Amino acid sequence: MEEKKYWKSLDESGAIAEQPTSIKDDHKSDLLELLSGNHLDKKSASRRDFLKWCGISFASATIVTACENPVKKAIPYIVQPEELIPGKATWYASSYLYGNEYCSILVKTRDGRPIKIEGNELSSISQGGTSARVQASVLSLYDDGARYKHPTDHEYELAWETADSEILEKLNQFQVNGRRMALVTPTLLSPATRQVIKDFQAKFPMLEVVTWDAVSYGAIRKAHQQTHNLSVLPDYRFDKADIIVSFSADFLGTWLAPSVFANRYSKTRKLNQDNPAMSHHVQFEANYSISGANADERIPVKPADELKILMALYNELEPGSINAPSVDFYDIKPLALKLKANRGKCIVISGQNNREVQVLVNAINQKLDSYGNTIDLSHAIQAGDDDEKGFEVLVGNMINGDVDAVMFYQVNPLYTYHDQAKLKEALTKAKLSISFASAKDETAEACNYIIPDNHYLESWNDAEFLTNHYSLAQPAISKIFDTRQFQDTLLKWSGSEQDFYSYLKKYWETNLFPKQTRFADFTTFWQHSLQSGVFEQALAEESFPEFDFSSVQQAATTLQRHISKSNNLEFNLIQNIAIGDGHDANNPWLQEVPDPLTSVTWDNFAAVSPALAKEKDLKTGDIIQINDVIELPVLVQPGQAAGCISFALGYGRTKAGKAGENIGKNAYPMTSWDGEHRQLTGTVTDLKKTGKGHQFALTQMHFNMEGRGIVRESTLAKYKEKPYAGNELKKYHDKHKSTLYPVTEFEGHHWALLIDLNACTGCSTCVVACQSENNVPVVGKDEVRRRRIMHWMRIDRYYDGESDNPNVVFQPVMCQHCDHAPCENVCPVAATNHSSEGLNQMAYNRCIGTKYCINNCPYKVRRFNWFRYAQNDKFDFNMNSDLGRMVLNPDVTVRERGVVEKCSFCVQRIQEAKLKAKNERRPFKDGDVTPACAQSCPSKALVFGDLNDPESRVAKMVKDPRNYQILEEWHTLPSVNYLTKIRNKQV
């Protein structure tokens, strides 16, 4: 039976090829180092001789320290806190909050230290989902090298009393003299914090507050102000949409609220035989995003051509209303007809920060009756409320010497501003500059005073992400350093005797308690809200002003000027799903997460299409200079729009910390100001090769299983005809299977994991969650190049089709926990074995590092510890300091050099759940245990449970005709199952 061919990468000629990742000289030096016995103590060296005597090869590097564990010391409590039980976790409901980013979370603490972030399932917004940055945020708490530890005047450490008195003296003097002052913040989702700032302004009336977001959504607000007379950013209900059309908005990866949108989107993509229906998703974009990868129809177009299609689409909905340009590269009529046939069930969005574009998008949605159905103006998103023009005015006033004091909170404009030289000059004109940064950044390092804020896990706060949907944040640990919460600082400078905790409670008592009717007294209401983490109040139905179509023609006329430049080579700036706008650049977990589409780690790059690479004689690894502003290495990317080069923001930090400094190049200088908004697109006026080369730290070919029946897909039409469409190979293998192994019976539990490829977006949240839960080490860029990445699970990305616009399938792969595991019967010391509950186990103390199991695993999911990654200066990441190791999970062993490790289905969680059920004297039930990967997934693509429980979700889902196992023809009987990918290809 013929199998579909999938491929992973292209070389510069367009042929299937493997990106070279090995460095022969480096391998040779590693081997010499290992054979010479470096990194080994005398005991290890003597064991090496013993192993030679046993006939076991030493050349595999490292059998030698497998049985040697470090000495661990524990100091008991003299007076044990009543609420703390050693060995048992304590959970706190809180909120992740940074600028426009928000997530309601639960914080797991052990012995008073946060070690893991989970999503809060009580939140109707996030519904238990998270993102890679939310999962990794716990690591930044213990960033010993980057976090500011005390107030300074840029040169010397200050006592808080000294810092307060010096700054207040200057602020009072500026106020008396009538001099202007400014506080620059990002969009603030916290209503209590906004009130604190208002109180501070009452104390200092000459203070101006300016909002500044590194990546702005201001054009959407301004467009709604023009069309609806409301400055709002609406909520997009993808769960109610049958047709989704996106113009360069990566709503599943980086646009606005991806973890929220992924949850809603997945509800329209999951299939069952009773209701075989799914949404139809069309994506127009220049770069290949994960939203484009999940689309049913993806059209690679550069930004100027997006405008042509947008105008043509509106003209199809309202013929002759605007002078729309012709579109000769895409037939817009079938899409327009389908949109009109599904009025009230459509969403059209655009990621361009351009008011005219957003006005046209609003007009299309109005024609399709989207407002009030799939687009919600009542529960508006409170993000994206920045004032780009106000910041430009502030910079001009600073240069003119009109601003004596400027303060920065959670913003880093000396890194994110488009004209950094101009801003540096402006900052030197201010007599007083203050940064409230909690960790090192470029702006803080240039200020007169650094008044360090607490980490969010050390702070009280609240948030309102959607109208009338509130959440609380509470400290999960006492502050580690001599820092002070930003709100407490402003309260003190305002002359208030209150701390922010008291202020927050009073704010909720005054403003939120009256909105509810469930609780009779505030104390009960406060405790309930704090324990659940959220307070959500229903809104009454609202009426909104009629749509103003008068601005559409004006917007279309303005857009014509942009379209006239569409023959030029363009560039567009994007965000990486892990690094984002660059705030988290010093987080090594995020730096080492492979990009879902390109599998690049520790880098940004210029993505070019195979056609442009051929035209410009470029190949992967060539370094090019763009517009004499930025030098970037080239990566030939299938599916990239031919007339556009894409590269990521968030890299090139110069003041960030040991993991984030000088990684990649800063692309913010490529942004531009058009008089109203900052633009992330532009024209390439000069492109030249530098003659230099670069080697990426790629993972896409590390664990290659190409040419086999690894991913399976079909179309919705075929699925409706036969539910096993795309999965015919399973029927063939089931019919012809034969084995010499006996049938394995599991009398108790039989654990299994099922992954719905239709729901998996490839966001990599599960990868970081697994790393956090299971103490997976960071190995660094050089080791990734040597194919030594340690992640227990990976997101494989496969292409299917032509290189100019291939389809993409994401497939999470971890240890398959085979019931007939090939790894188990080749281990000479029985270090890997099978449990009575179907788990493929690793006994680290038995492992001697022969790597036979790795060679015999067809799924390539086992990892070898080439080095000791903890307490080793050669791997100076989070495991090389006492503070950094506080993030480690005490329930999971930190592996030593020379042993093999891999996914355990989070066996520590399984054991904990079984003990809990036993202590509660009840049977174990479905849902009692969820591995970290499934727990964190925003789209709920992973389902875990007991196959021996016929009522469990996983036991029911494995009976789906779409269900299959990877390489099932080998009859390894994996416990990891997949549901075939189905695309709604019909337009």
Side-chain angles (χ1 to χ4, degrees):
M1 186 172 293
E2 184 179 355
E3 296 185 12
K4 209 167 189 178
K5 299 297 183 183
Y6 294 85
W7 46 280
K8 279 191 170 185
S9 64
L10 290 177
D11 64 8
E12 62 277 7
S13 65
I16 298 174
E18 179 176 341
Q19 164 72 13
T21 55
S22 60
I23 306 173
K24 292 182 179 179
D25 291 340
D26 289 338
H27 278 306
K28 188 182 296 182
S29 64
D30 286 342
L31 187 57
L32 289 173
E33 182 180 36
L34 292 166
L35 290 173
S36 67
N38 290 346
H39 302 294
L40 308 181
D41 56 21
K42 293 180 180 179
K43 185 186 296 184
S44 300
S46 64
R47 187 167 345 114
R48 175 185 58 194
D49 296 335
F50 169 75
L51 291 169
K52 282 185 177 180
W53 178 78
C54 291
I56 298 173
S57 171
F58 181 68
S60 66
T62 64
I63 44 188
V64 290
T65 56
C67 302
E68 185 170 335
N69 288 320
V71 175
K72 298 178 180 178
K73 299 178 181 179
I75 302 174
Y77 287 99
I78 298 175
V79 179
Q80 181 174 313
E82 182 179 351
E83 70 278 3
L84 194 150
I85 302 174
K88 187 173 181 179
T90 304
W91 293 85
Y92 295 91
S94 192
S95 300
Y96 171 84
L97 201 61
Y98 189 86
N100 290 316
E101 296 186 66
Y102 162 81
C103 189
S104 181
I105 61 173
L106 302 178
V107 185
K108 179 182 181 180
T109 68
R110 283 290 297 270
D111 303 318
R113 55 189 176 90
I115 61 170
K116 184 71 174 64
I117 303 294
E118 303 287 12
N120 185 357
E121 295 184 356
L122 296 180
S123 169
S124 66
I125 300 173
S126 58
Q127 297 186 7
T130 56
S131 67
R133 286 197 291 277
V134 172
Q135 287 291 324
S137 64
V138 67
L139 185 61
S140 61
L141 172 66
Y142 305 111
D143 194 346
D144 191 17
R147 286 195 60 187
Y148 292 120
K149 300 175 176 62
H150 43 69
T152 66
D153 63 357
H154 195 64
E155 293 184 8
Y156 303 103
E157 177 182 347
L158 298 176
W160 277 104
E161 296 78 6
T162 304
D164 290 339
S165 63
E166 289 183 4
I167 292 172
L168 273 174
E169 181 182 357
K170 294 177 181 180
L171 293 178
N172 287 323
Q173 182 181 357
F174 297 149
Q175 179 64 40
V176 169
N177 295 335
R179 303 299 298 169
R180 296 171 68 175
M181 299 174 281
L183 170 64
V184 184
T185 76
T187 295
L188 295 174
L189 298 178
S190 167
T193 301
R194 294 196 295 266
Q195 187 60 48
V196 168
I197 292 175
K198 289 179 182 177
D199 294 347
F200 186 58
Q201 282 183 289
K203 169 74 172 178
F204 297 99
M206 294 304 296
L207 180 76
E208 176 188 8
V209 179
V210 179
T211 54
W212 162 261
D213 292 332
V215 177
S216 175
Y217 300 99
I220 302 177
R221 284 184 173 274
K222 289 192 175 181
H224 281 90
Q225 178 68 57
Q226 193 166 348
T227 59
H228 292 78
N229 198 29
L230 293 168
S231 179
V232 296
L233 205 165
D235 188 20
Y236 299 93
R237 298 306 305 255
F238 292 96
D239 52 331
K240 298 180 179 181
D242 289 345
I243 311 293
I244 300 165
V245 181
S246 171
F247 292 85
S248 67
D250 184 15
F251 61 94
L252 297 177
T254 59
W255 188 75
L256 200 54
S259 60
V260 177
F261 296 156
N263 179 283
R264 296 173 178 175
Y265 177 82
S266 68
K267 293 176 181 177
T268 71
R269 310 294 286 181
K270 293 178 180 178
L271 284 168
N272 61 70
Q273 297 176 57
D274 297 330
N275 183 26
M278 60 186 292
S279 62
H280 181 71
H281 174 192
V282 181
Q283 186 86 8
F284 298 93
E285 62 184 8
N287 61 291
Y288 218 138
S289 69
I290 67 170
S291 296
N294 285 277
D296 301 300
E297 182 183 3
R298 177 184 178 272
I299 303 90
V301 292
K302 57 185 185 176
D305 287 338
E306 282 183 27
L307 306 185
K308 289 183 179 180
I309 297 171
L310 194 62
M311 296 176 70
L313 177 59
Y314 182 76
N315 221 26
E316 288 292 329
L317 299 176
E318 189 70 18
S321 58
I322 61 173
N323 182 22
S326 61
V327 179
D328 54 3
F329 51 86
Y330 180 75
D331 186 4
I332 197 69
K333 291 185 178 180
L335 177 60
L337 288 173
K338 185 151 191 176
L339 286 169
K340 286 190 283 188
N342 288 273
R343 291 181 187 275
K345 297 180 180 180
C346 309
I347 286 182
V348 179
I349 56 175
S350 172
Q352 293 205 31
N353 190 36
N354 182 297
R355 180 172 53 83
E356 287 80 16
V357 168
Q358 297 297 340
V359 164
L360 206 55
V361 168
N362 292 358
I364 291 173
N365 283 314
Q366 180 69 21
K367 291 292 181 183
L368 296 172
D369 297 330
S370 298
Y371 286 103
N373 293 304
T374 58
I375 300 179
D376 187 355
L377 290 173
S378 298
H379 295 85
I381 295 176
Q382 303 300 306
D385 194 20
D386 63 328
D387 183 8
E388 298 173 272
K389 194 166 187 177
F391 187 76
E392 293 294 329
V393 172
L394 173 64
V395 173
N397 290 336
M398 290 170 65
I399 287 179
N400 294 333
D402 295 334
V403 180
D404 279 5
V406 61
M407 294 170 270
F408 302 97
Y409 170 60
Q410 288 192 351
V411 292
N412 185 16
L414 273 186
Y415 166 68
T416 59
Y417 189 62
H418 62 277
D419 191 342
Q420 294 170 6
K422 179 181 178 181
L423 187 57
K424 281 183 180 179
E425 179 190 354
L427 200 55
T428 60
K429 299 292 183 69
K431 297 177 181 177
L432 175 64
S433 54
I434 302 169
S435 172
F436 298 102
S438 62
K440 188 186 298 184
D441 68 39
E442 289 79 358
T443 305
E445 293 294 308
C447 287
N448 305 138
Y449 289 89
I450 299 173
I451 307 299
D453 188 19
N454 291 352
H455 189 272
Y456 87 94
L457 291 174
E458 303 168 327
S459 304
W460 289 96
N461 214 336
D462 65 349
E464 183 187 15
F465 183 72
L466 289 181
T467 306
N468 267 27
H469 285 242
Y470 300 92
S471 65
L472 282 166
Q474 61 178 314
I477 187 175
S478 296
K479 61 181 184 179
I480 298 173
F481 304 116
D482 187 20
T483 58
R484 186 172 67 193
Q485 192 167 348
F486 163 74
Q487 293 89 340
D488 281 320
T489 296
L490 290 198
L491 286 171
K492 188 168 186 64
W493 292 355
S494 301
S496 174
E497 297 297 325
Q498 279 185 307
D499 59 9
F500 184 59
Y501 168 68
S502 303
Y503 189 98
L504 180 64
K505 283 186 69 175
K506 187 65 177 177
Y507 181 88
W508 274 55
E509 183 176 9
T510 304
N511 296 279
L512 303 187
F513 177 60
K515 291 184 177 182
Q516 59 84 43
T517 57
R518 179 180 175 186
F519 302 100
D521 62 282
F522 173 72
T523 300
T524 307
F525 165 71
W526 172 258
Q527 289 177 346
H528 180 271
S529 300
L530 192 59
Q531 290 173 359
S532 63
V534 294
F535 163 61
E536 301 177 352
Q537 184 71 14
L539 286 175
E541 290 292 328
E542 293 187 49
S543 59
F544 297 98
E546 290 189 8
F547 192 93
D548 181 7
F549 281 100
S550 63
S551 57
V552 177
Q553 181 64 54
Q554 181 183 353
T557 303
T558 304
L559 291 178
Q560 288 283 0
R561 296 197 297 268
H562 296 278
I563 292 173
S564 64
K565 302 176 183 178
S566 62
N567 293 326
N568 299 327
L569 178 63
E570 298 180 57
F571 68 85
N572 76 312
L573 304 173
I574 60 175
Q575 290 187 77
N576 179 287
I577 66 162
I579 300 301
D581 62 14
H583 166 255
D584 297 303
N586 198 52
N587 193 309
W589 287 353
L590 296 176
Q591 287 284 3
E592 199 153 287
V593 172
D595 180 80
L597 267 299
T598 65
S599 298
V600 173
T601 66
W602 294 95
D603 252 324
N604 62 340
F605 49 84
V608 303
S609 67
L612 184 62
K614 185 176 181 180
E615 176 188 341
K616 300 292 185 181
D617 189 27
L618 300 172
K619 62 180 183 297
T620 294
D622 286 346
I623 294 180
I624 58 174
Q625 188 178 73
I626 304 172
N627 292 0
D628 292 325
V629 175
I630 188 172
E631 288 187 2
L632 285 167
V634 167
L635 188 134
V636 180
Q637 173 61 47
Q640 176 73 20
C644 186
I645 302 174
S646 301
F647 38 97
L649 302 166
Y651 292 84
R653 294 284 304 275
T654 57
K655 303 289 184 183
K658 58 189 177 185
E661 289 180 5
N662 303 314
I663 301 296
K665 300 295 181 181
N666 184 4
Y668 280 104
M670 293 293 291
T671 61
S672 60
W673 172 249
D674 68 358
E676 186 176 16
H677 299 291
R678 262 200 318 166
Q679 298 302 314
L680 302 183
T681 62
T683 301
V684 176
T685 58
D686 184 47
L687 176 67
K688 54 191 174 187
K689 294 171 66 174
T690 65
K692 297 180 287 187
H694 179 81
Q695 187 178 29
F696 290 105
L698 285 163
T699 65
Q700 62 188 23
M701 300 300 292
H702 285 195
F703 317 107
N704 192 4
M705 295 189 292
E706 284 185 11
R708 306 174 184 178
I710 40 184
V711 291
R712 297 177 188 175
E713 62 176 331
S714 188
T715 64
L716 182 61
K718 292 180 180 179
Y719 173 78
K720 289 179 178 179
E721 291 178 8
K722 49 183 182 180
Y724 58 86
N727 203 16
E728 291 84 357
L729 279 171
K730 180 176 178 59
K731 296 175 69 67
Y732 176 83
H733 294 316
D734 287 346
K735 184 177 180 181
H736 295 86
K737 68 183 178 183
S738 60
T739 178
L740 298 176
Y741 286 94
V743 176
T744 306
E745 299 289 343
F746 298 95
E747 296 181 358
H749 302 291
H750 185 193
W751 304 112
L753 180 69
L754 184 137
I755 303 171
D756 187 347
L757 296 182
N758 255 40
C760 175
T761 64
C763 68
S764 298
T765 302
C766 54
V767 177
V768 183
C770 174
Q771 186 162 26
S772 176
E773 172 72 19
N774 294 295
N775 302 336
V776 175
V778 175
V779 299
K781 187 174 183 177
D782 288 341
E783 290 298 291
V784 176
R785 284 171 170 164
R786 294 173 173 84
R787 308 187 180 201
R788 296 174 181 172
I789 200 164
M790 294 299 294
H791 290 145
W792 282 10
M793 68 179 298
R794 66 182 191 267
I795 307 295
D796 279 348
R797 179 270 294 125
Y798 291 101
Y799 295 124
D800 167 35
E802 300 300 323
S803 63
D804 59 340
N805 188 24
N807 293 323
V808 162
V809 180
F810 295 114
Q811 185 175 51
V813 180
M814 66 293 291
C815 176
Q816 303 292 290
H817 293 272
C818 310
D819 290 340
H820 291 167
C823 58
E824 293 173 9
N825 53 19
V826 296
C827 181
V829 292
T832 180
N833 57 79
H834 219 65
S835 79
S836 60
E837 298 183 350
L839 297 181
N840 179 256
Q841 301 178 136
M842 274 300 305
Y844 301 125
N845 280 358
R846 295 185 65 88
C847 180
I848 59 173
T850 62
K851 298 190 288 186
Y852 295 164
C853 59
I854 294 177
N855 294 333
N856 221 40
C857 174
Y859 307 102
K860 307 304 176 189
V861 291
R862 304 175 77 88
R863 305 288 176 260
F864 183 70
N865 284 263
W866 287 89
F867 299 97
R868 183 182 187 181
Y869 298 112
Q871 295 177 282
N872 185 344
D873 290 342
K874 291 182 179 293
F875 299 94
D876 191 14
F877 301 108
N878 64 294
M879 291 189 182
N880 203 37
S881 68
D882 290 338
L883 185 63
R885 287 191 297 276
M886 286 181 69
V887 80
L888 298 177
N889 184 355
D891 294 330
V892 180
T893 302
V894 177
R895 283 74 64 185
E896 286 294 304
R897 178 174 180 255
V899 304
V900 174
E901 61 183 70
K902 50 117 201 137
C903 163
S904 67
F905 271 173
C906 290
V907 64
Q908 69 278 2
R909 292 190 175 202
I910 295 174
Q911 293 302 108
E912 182 182 19
K914 286 162 62 178
L915 288 172
K916 181 180 179 182
K918 181 179 179 180
N919 290 337
E920 294 175 356
R921 300 179 182 274
R922 62 172 176 81
F924 189 94
K925 63 180 184 294
D926 188 42
D928 275 355
V929 60
T930 307
C933 55
Q935 184 83 45
S936 66
C937 180
S939 58
K940 309 303 179 188
L942 292 84
V943 177
F944 182 80
D946 182 5
L947 285 177
N948 285 351
D949 177 5
E951 297 303 314
S952 68
R953 287 184 63 205
V954 72
K956 294 177 180 178
M957 293 179 75
V958 295
K959 297 176 182 178
D960 193 305
R962 293 164 55 208
N963 178 60
Y964 75 98
Q965 296 89 30
I966 303 178
L967 306 181
E968 57 196 13
E969 65 272 22
W970 287 39
H971 201 62
T972 57
L973 300 183
S975 294
V976 178
N977 300 263
Y978 296 86
L979 295 185
T980 303
K981 176 82 170 180
I982 303 295
R983 296 185 189 273
N984 190 357
K985 280 291 189 182
Q986 294 180 339
V987 180

